[in-house]
């Protein structure tokens, strides 16, 4: 038992040092600042600037959160405050199933439905003609992938609010909606924000589904209809040739390390806030 | 004034209703569109035969190698994760029950690990492979996926074990059994269906993930016969065929997606069955 405890707790440290060990070669030659903010990605001439990929990742992540956040919040309120018991019983398996669908399936769905929809309907509506493989496609697919994740946390948060709080507000003459808007949401606001933070870090690291629909063009995207090339896709796409070009593998491991650190950071802060706001009640 | 308040509430209730409907329809649409495009191309030959050379280029053959490979990989890693996860989960809930802070700390680390993207595990698996000089193989894949599902396994079982009433622990200890006996004979027995649910959940994760095995399992047309051979898996079979320029090959990817969805739905239904059974078995104090 103690052995398994030690082994499991060592995983994050081993992960971190393994990736650091591999990326050290690259870090010796280039400064971290240069690698993060340089736009030059020319592996053959030894230039590894991650800026383009980081910006792409941010685009996809932020847009997907903009789609998922309001839907999650409204649904969580609906399910915990208004809906009848049977609606909740119906939605539980739906949420679980959505959470369990593999990312490659989301990718297939993206190609079958989302990409053509963007090319044929959404983009022409805004007066653009595009292939459909775009930031928006990635973001739509991602938003559906992170919805069950955020929704579960939000439902938990709303459930943990003590009923006295609601009763006090209602007895003062507030309507149900006013109570929700002014009392309940305010009470768990930090929790809500960090649930979104967790969803965001999920979205930031998601690889295969996004990779399939986002286009993978090395350029800084200037709008949601343009293709992008997020960081995880960069790692996944180039595993084939990474051993044949000097320092390429080191650069990709550094990309993984950056991903790891960013996600860990967001996760850490969000989890701490959620734990605190649950404890308060 | 009152009318405006009512109107606002009504407006938001409509919005809420629609967002709930959106989520339910999204699931329905995803499953429907996969079945719609995949089912017509799904044949028995695909399920029952291995590729006959150059499957990628639209030649004869099926994806039996990927189906079997996926099962090998996810079973191996689920078993390995179980061997590490179960003792840890029991340890947290029986031996360390008085040390709240430590247990919460372990839970916190598990949750953090759960959030780490699978591509990072994949990249890490690759560094291990290079470090120890192993080739891309079933073994390397199993190790990587095990690391990836351990937090899911531990947290799943921990959630269940937490719900065991404390009186059970105390009465078992007061009857003279050791903490380890209590763990394996009392707690584990009490939670069997819940533990099965956690195992199934991890298995579903393991069979569906593509990013973590991208570097580590390799790809082959054959069914692996030993741990050191490369292995094809369903998610990667779908992923590779999806990027093919030949429409026939892409259609096979859709058909393979139907198989994967079928497996996932079965696992999900099984775990639902077990978690329901769990509620029936529970002792109420």
């Amino acid at each position: 038992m103690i052995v398994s405890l030690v082994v499991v707790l060592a995983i994050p440290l081993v992960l971190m040092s393994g990736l650091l060990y591999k990326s050290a070669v690259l870090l010796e030659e280039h400064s971290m600042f240069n690698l993060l903010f340089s736009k030059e990605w020319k592996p053959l001439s030894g230039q590894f600037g991650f800026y383009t990929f980081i910006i792409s990742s941010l685009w996809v992540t932020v847009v997907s959160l903009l789609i998922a956040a309001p839907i999650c919040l409204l649904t969580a309120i609906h399910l915990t405050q208004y809906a009848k018991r049977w609606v909740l019983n119906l939605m539980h398996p739906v949420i679980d199933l959505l959470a369990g669908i593999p990312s490659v399936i989301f990718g297939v769905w993206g190609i079958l439905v989302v990409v053509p929809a963007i090319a044929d309907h959404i983009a022409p509506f805004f007066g653009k003609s595009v292939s459909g493989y775009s930031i928006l496609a990635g973001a739509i697919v991602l938003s559906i992938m992170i919805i069950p994740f955020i929704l579960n946390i939000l439902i938990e948060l709303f459930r943990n609010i003590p009923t006295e709080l609601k009763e006090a507000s209602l007895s003062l003459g507030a309507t149900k909606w006013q109570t929700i808007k002014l009392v309940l949401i305010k009470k768990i606001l930090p929790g809500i924000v960090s649930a979104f933070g967790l969803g965001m870090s999920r979205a930031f690291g998601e690889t295969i589904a996004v990779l399939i629909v986002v286009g993978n063009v090395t350029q800084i995207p200037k709008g949601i209809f343009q293709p992008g090339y997020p960081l995880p896709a960069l790692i996944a796409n180039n595993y084939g040739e990474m051993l044949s070009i000097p320092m390429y593998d080191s650069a990709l491991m550094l990309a993984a390390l950056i991903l790891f650190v960013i996600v860990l950071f967001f996760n850490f802060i969000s989890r701490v806030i959620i734990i605190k706001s649950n404890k308060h009640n | 004034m009152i009318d405006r308040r009512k109107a606002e509430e009504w407006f938001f209730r409509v919005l809420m209703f629609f967002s709930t409907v959106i989520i339910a329809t999204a699931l329905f649409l995803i499953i429907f569109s996969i079945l719609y495009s995949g089912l017509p191309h799904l044949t028995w030959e695909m399920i029952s035969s291995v590729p006959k050379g150059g499957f990628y280029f639209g030649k004869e053959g099926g994806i039996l190698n990927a189906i079997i490979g996926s099962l090998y990989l996810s079973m191996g890693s689920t078993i390995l994760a179980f061997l590490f996860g179960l003792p840890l989960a029991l340890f947290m809930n029986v031996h360390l029950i008085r040390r709240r802070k430590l247990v919460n700390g372990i839970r916190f680390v598990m949750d953090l690990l759960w959030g780490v993207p699978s591509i990072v595990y994949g990249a890490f698996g690759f560094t291990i492979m290079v470090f120890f000089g192993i080739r891309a193989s079933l073994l390397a894949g199993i190790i990587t996926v095990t690391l990836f599902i351990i937090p899911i396994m531990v947290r799943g079982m921990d959630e269940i074990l937490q719900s065991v009433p404390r009186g059970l622990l105390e009465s078992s200890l007061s009857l003279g059994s050791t903490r380890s006996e209590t763990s394996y004979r009392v707690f584990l027995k009490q939670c069997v269906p819940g533990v099965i649910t956690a195992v199934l959940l991890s298995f579903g994760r393991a069979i569906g993930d593509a990013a973590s095995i991208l570097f580590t399992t390799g790809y082959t047309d054959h069914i692996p016969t030993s741990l050191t051979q490369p292995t094809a898996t369903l998610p990667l079979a779908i992923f590779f065929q999806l990027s093919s320029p030949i429409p026939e090959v892409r259609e096979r990817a859709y058909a393979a997606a139907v198989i994967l969805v079928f497996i996932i739905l079965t696992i999900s239904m099984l775990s639902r069955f077990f978690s329901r059974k769990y509620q029936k078995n529970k002792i109420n104090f």
Side-chain angles (χ1 to χ4, degrees), chain A residues 82 96 99 177 181 239, chain B residues 8-9 110 114 205 215 272:
Chain A
Y82 288 100
D96 284 354
W177 173 247
K181 188 175 68 171
Y239 73 101
Chain B
E8 189 187 313
E9 173 156 17
M110 288 296 114
W114 193 336
R205 275 290 137 125
F215 305 114
R272 200 151 274 286

Side-chain angles (χ1 to χ4, degrees), chain B residues 43-44 57 64 74 96 113 127 129 133 140-141 147 158 178 183-184 195 200 212 217 236 245 273:
Chain B
T43 55
W44 178 245
F57 304 105
L64 185 67
S74 35
L96 298 177
L113 276 180
T127 63
M129 265 166 48
L147 293 178
D158 177 42
T178 64
S183 303
Y184 290 103
V195 168
L200 284 172
S212 64
T217 53
L236 287 189
F273 169 76

Side-chain angles (χ1 to χ4, degrees), chain A residues 5-16:
Chain A
L5 174 70
V6 172
V7 170
V8 172
L9 287 186
I11 293 176
L13 290 178
V14 178
L15 250 169
M16 181 90 129

Side-chain angles (χ1 to χ4, degrees), chain A residues 5 8 14-15 22 74-75 78 82 96-97 99 102 109 112 175 177-178 181 202 207 239 253 263 271, chain B residues 5 8-9 12-13 16 19-20 33 37 88 110-111 114-115 119 124 126-127 205 208 215 268 272:
Chain A
L5 174 70
V8 172
V14 178
L15 250 169
K22 282 298 283 181
L74 288 168
T75 308
H78 182 68
Y82 288 100
D96 284 354
L97 275 178
W109 175 69
L112 288 172
T175 64
W177 173 247
Q178 281 177 320
K181 188 175 68 171
R202 253 296 120 120
T207 313
Y239 73 101
M253 293 306 134
V263 167
R271 293 254 177 226
Chain B
R5 274 179 15 177
E8 189 187 313
E9 173 156 17
F12 275 98
R13 284 200 67 172
M16 279 178 217
S19 49
T20 312
S33 62
S37 326
L88 177 57
M110 288 296 114
D111 286 346
W114 193 336
I119 185 84
F124 173 68
F126 173 76
T127 63
R205 275 290 137 125
F215 305 114
S268 169
R272 200 151 274 286

